[in-house]
Amino acid sequence: MSSRYRETPWCILGGDRRDGHFARAMLDHGYDVRVCCVPDTDDLPAKVRVDDVNRAVKGISVLVCPVTGTDESGVLRHSTAPVSLTEVLSEANGIDALVIGTARQAIRDAAASKGIEIIESMRDDELAILNSIPSAEGALQIAMEHSDFTIHGSRSAVLGLGRTGLTLASALQGLKSVVTAVARRPQDLARARALGHVAVRFSDLKTVLPQFDLVFNTAPAPVLPKELMKMVKKTAVVIDLASPPGGVDFDAARVAGITAILAPGLPGLVAPRTAGEILAQVIPRLVSSTLEPLQ
Ligand code: NAP
């Protein structure tokens, strides 16, 4: 598909190690990209690396911010220097689109006041499903690093059976863990059974929780509160993949002496090159389908 956004300048502002690879892949695909506050980009041509944020966003048509988004005050969660995205937007001119994982209200308001279209990349199924692969591998890596038993033969639970949960359950099954998938929608429970997992409703989690060696949460809601943390085996490892603040009561885990880890941003940590190439595959399509829907 031809797109005018192949010729107009883009800025990748902030990010983690995946975003340098994203920029490299975009340059390889012929896009006019500059980077600002992105780590591990020293090898990129000097004209591509811009230190000053205002200069970096001047004259661009597309601004791409990290999939990990901003904190409540609008500051990017990942960047080599603190960047207030609300301030950047309030001073921006001529930007057509802001691409970001998910946008908080302050970002929406700032973009709306400048007529900038917001594209939330984490809402896109292609990106979320492709990202679930490095996320699942990262979760397995953390499980191996924090346990003294094999995943093979372990009893594992995956809470939430969306895009990440499904891939993770399948990866655990591939390593011969006995997987229980915990969901609330009947169709998700049916899918779990079809894939050969034990299917359990969230409302029944309490009764099965003591049996698990590994508990992975992917539901972005408080699904493992204090009362349930008490039911988790002392030797278990709990890994929370859901975006901060996650779904696990970490204070309760600490009090109970259970190893519990909040594990955000796994694709950028464990497979930055793959994760960057995924962004370069998906984001241009998102931009052109949003801004040029009839082409
Ligand atoms: P998703 O496809 O929307 O799946 C989320 C799942 O959680 C759904 O099955 C949903 O079930 C369930 N859920 C939501 N609220 C729930 C509640 N109150 N009680 C029980 N279940 C609930 O999302 P995803 O793409 O898999 O991502 C899941 C989370 O992981 C997000 O927070 C995402 O940002 C994060 N993530 C983190 C990493 C990382 O590196 N750590 C990587 C990718 C994604 P229903 O359909 O019943 O609502």
Side-chain angles (χ1 to χ4, degrees):
M1 194 197 312
S2 77
S3 165
R4 86 176 181 85
Y5 291 96
R6 282 190 91 86
E7 275 81 50
T8 58
W10 295 40
C11 175
I12 300 173
L13 178 62
D16 56 27
R17 285 171 56 221
R18 82 187 97 178
D19 292 286
H21 291 285
F22 170 37
R24 264 172 226 110
M26 290 291 284
L27 290 165
D28 286 349
H29 296 169
Y31 281 83
D32 177 359
V33 171
R34 47 186 97 144
V35 297
C36 181
C37 296
V38 180
D40 297 340
T41 49
D42 289 352
D43 62 315
L44 293 181
K47 68 174 178 144
V48 170
R49 290 178 280 118
V50 183
D51 290 336
D52 180 71
V53 179
N54 291 326
R55 216 156 46 79
V57 300
K58 194 165 180 208
I60 60 164
S61 58
V62 180
L63 176 61
V64 187
C65 289
V67 291
T68 49
T70 68
D71 65 17
E72 302 74 22
S73 64
V75 173
L76 295 182
R77 278 223 179 89
H78 287 96
S79 67
T80 55
V83 175
S84 164
L85 181 56
T86 32
E87 280 175 26
V88 172
L89 294 175
S90 70
E91 286 169 31
N93 280 310
I95 298 178
D96 291 338
L98 164 67
V99 185
I100 188 165
T102 51
R104 292 178 179 275
Q105 194 56 48
I107 301 302
R108 294 181 170 286
D109 294 343
S113 72
K114 293 287 179 151
I116 299 171
E117 184 89 38
I118 290 199
I119 301 173
E120 291 187 302
S121 52
M122 284 312 290
R123 290 196 191 279
D124 183 70
D125 273 342
E126 183 190 11
L127 182 59
I129 292 168
L130 289 173
N131 251 346
S132 73
I133 302 166
S135 305
E137 288 190 11
L140 295 179
Q141 183 176 324
I142 293 175
M144 288 179 194
E145 284 167 1
H146 287 83
S147 60
D148 57 3
F149 51 85
T150 57
I151 290 179
H152 183 120
S154 67
R155 302 184 80 88
S156 58
V158 176
L159 314 187
L161 211 57
R163 298 163 301 189
T164 308
L166 269 176
T167 303
L168 178 56
S170 142
L172 284 161
Q173 187 182 45
L175 288 174
K176 307 282 188 287
S177 178
V178 180
V179 181
T180 295
V182 184
R184 54 185 182 178
R185 295 192 307 160
Q187 58 268 48
D188 290 337
L189 294 163
R191 173 67 62 202
R193 283 183 59 191
L195 291 170
H197 309 313
V198 179
V200 169
R201 287 191 199 92
F202 263 105
S203 51
D204 295 330
L205 178 58
K206 191 176 179 177
T207 54
V208 293
L209 205 44
Q211 65 184 248
F212 300 119
D213 306 299
L214 294 167
V215 180
F216 298 89
N217 175 47
T218 72
V223 291
L224 275 182
K226 189 175 174 183
E227 316 81 79
L228 287 189
M229 252 359 257
K230 287 183 192 152
M231 318 291 297
V232 175
K233 219 192 246 187
K234 295 278 180 230
T235 53
V237 177
V238 177
I239 299 170
D240 194 354
L241 282 82
S243 293
V248 173
D249 186 331
F250 287 95
D251 288 338
R254 193 170 29 77
V255 170
I258 294 161
T259 304
I261 299 139
L262 181 63
L266 290 170
L269 281 177
V270 303
R273 183 161 58 82
T274 305
E277 287 167 359
I278 290 170
L279 292 176
Q281 174 181 329
V282 175
I283 287 180
R285 192 254 309 151
L286 276 177
V287 168
S288 85
S289 64
T290 306
L291 299 180
E292 306 168 312
L294 298 178
Q295 286 194 5

